[in-house]
Amino acid sequence: MAQEHGFSLVDQTKLVTATSELARNALVYGGGGTLKWAVLLDGTRCGVRLTFQDQGPGIPNVDLAMTDGWTSGTGLGLGLTGARRLVNQFELDSTVGVGTRVTVTRWK
């Protein structure tokens, strides 16, 4: 999708890497989930928005989860923070016992 809309190889790689991290988190920590995507047009600017949502246990402390090196599992603790650095916009909403939604946008 990013390639079809003229994103550079670097931007495509950043988007794919962020997608991989967030999809893995939804699977491993959220027990699976959904991905919704949209192409955004803002004047001459084009973007891709991805929303990952799961119905897992939620994140008890979002601030802590957004700290490099912190993990609730066995990983390196760089998935969420790494994904945040690879996109232009990053939103995380999580409620314990309900699930987590992460929305990222990458502009061309």
Side-chain angles (χ1 to χ4, degrees):
M1 175 178 51
Q3 182 182 24
E4 290 173 6
H5 286 85
F7 280 70
S8 71
L9 182 57
V10 170
D11 285 340
Q12 290 175 50
T13 302
K14 288 178 179 182
L15 192 57
V16 166
T17 303
T19 299
S20 174
E21 291 292 341
L22 296 171
R24 180 186 176 282
N25 279 358
L27 181 64
V28 171
Y29 300 108
T34 60
L35 166 63
K36 294 182 182 178
W37 59 271
V39 174
L40 308 174
L41 299 174
D42 181 17
T44 59
R45 212 166 61 145
C46 179
V48 174
R49 177 172 293 146
L50 305 171
T51 301
F52 299 82
Q53 187 155 357
D54 67 56
Q55 295 178 336
I59 302 170
N61 187 330
V62 171
D63 290 334
L64 188 58
M66 292 305 299
T67 302
D68 279 338
W70 185 87
T71 181
S72 63
T74 60
L76 298 175
L78 298 172
L80 288 174
T81 58
R84 178 178 60 187
R85 284 191 288 275
L86 293 169
V87 297
N88 302 112
Q89 294 169 287
F90 182 96
E91 298 171 36
L92 180 128
D93 181 40
S94 188
T95 303
V96 173
V98 176
T100 300
R101 182 179 65 239
V102 180
T103 302
V104 297
T105 304
R106 180 80 198 170
W107 292 99
K108 181 171 91 170

